[in-house]
């Protein structure tokens, strides 16, 4: 089975919307009910991260991934990813702060700083700020995922 990036985040954070942007699909809301394997991406339901008893589903699904993308909306006030969350994965973890259009892409905004800090504490080595809604920085995420997957492949050999 082909290894590809897996997206993990709470309901409504923009996992599916980000994948729609990456794959040039029509941009529309579509609640993910179960794990969806796209040609180049894995989309997980938000319930997998919101209900800790479902963490085993995340770990099992990650076996088909070469990169894990943990994603939060800049407007999410909850502590979603516990500190050290990424230690359950044997592959690179990238953090994404989505919905940056809500704060005019301000990397000094307190909401961005709070969410980015949560993703870093969870174990994300790199943070990408983007807006799936308007497509801003989608190419940066794509490049970051490719570099992480390339580095993972080369260090595994």
């Amino acid at each position: 089975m082909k290894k590809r990036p897996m997206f993990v985040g709470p309901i409504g954070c923009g996992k599916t919307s980000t994948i729609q942007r990456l794959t040039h699909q029509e941009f529309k809301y579509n609640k993910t009910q179960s794990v969806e394997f796209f040609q180049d991406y894995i989309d997980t339901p938000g319930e997998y991260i919101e209900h800790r008893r479902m963490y085993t589903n995340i770990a099992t699904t990650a076996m088909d991934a070469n990169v894990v993308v943990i994603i939060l909306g800049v407007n999410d006030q909850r502590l979603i990813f516990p500190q050290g969350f990424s230690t359950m994965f044997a592959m690179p973890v990238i953090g994404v702060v989505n919905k940056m259009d809500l704060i005019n892409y301000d990397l000094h905004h307190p909401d961005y700083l709070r969410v980015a800090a949560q993703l870093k504490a969870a174990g994300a080595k790199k943070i990408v700020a983007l807006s799936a809604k308007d497509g801003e920085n989608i190419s940066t995420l794509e490049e970051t995922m490719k570099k992480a997957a390339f580095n993972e492949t080369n260090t595994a050999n």
Side-chain angles (χ1 to χ4, degrees):
M1 180 169 258
K2 178 182 177 179
K3 298 281 187 173
R4 57 203 127 184
M6 177 179 80
F7 284 70
V8 178
I11 298 166
C13 70
K15 296 177 301 295
T16 303
S17 298
T18 301
I19 291 171
Q20 288 172 348
R21 285 290 183 202
L22 288 163
T23 57
H24 310 289
Q25 295 178 30
E26 179 184 345
F27 188 70
K28 61 180 180 176
Y29 179 76
N30 181 24
K31 168 73 178 85
T32 304
Q33 298 296 326
S34 61
V35 175
E36 292 186 25
F37 292 88
F38 295 90
Q39 182 175 350
D40 295 319
Y41 303 99
I42 302 169
D43 192 3
T44 62
E47 289 84 358
Y48 279 19
I49 190 64
E50 290 192 24
H51 304 291
R52 296 191 194 276
R53 69 183 180 280
M54 299 185 94
Y55 278 15
T56 55
N57 296 0
I58 295 171
T60 302
T61 304
M63 291 180 189
D64 293 325
N66 58 359
V67 175
V68 174
V69 179
I70 56 176
I71 183 169
L72 286 173
V74 73
N75 59 336
D76 199 329
Q77 300 291 321
R78 302 170 294 168
L79 177 60
I80 298 294
F81 295 102
Q83 188 165 351
F85 174 78
S86 69
T87 59
M88 78 166 71
F89 306 114
M91 69 278 304
V93 176
I94 298 168
V96 169
V97 180
N98 192 17
K99 303 183 183 186
M100 288 296 292
D101 53 295
L102 298 176
I103 58 167
N104 297 315
Y105 304 97
D106 180 1
L107 297 180
H108 301 289
H109 192 283
D111 287 343
Y112 170 78
L113 296 172
R114 176 185 40 76
V115 171
Q118 182 182 157
L119 294 170
K120 284 181 181 178
K125 300 296 182 211
K126 174 94 173 139
I127 305 294
V128 178
L130 60 81
S131 171
K133 179 181 173 186
D134 65 14
E136 187 73 27
N137 282 344
I138 290 293
S139 60
T140 301
L141 173 60
E142 191 167 30
E143 183 178 314
T144 303
M145 290 185 300
K146 284 179 184 176
K147 283 181 183 176
F150 178 79
N151 291 339
E152 177 66 14
T153 301
N154 287 335
T155 57
N157 292 332

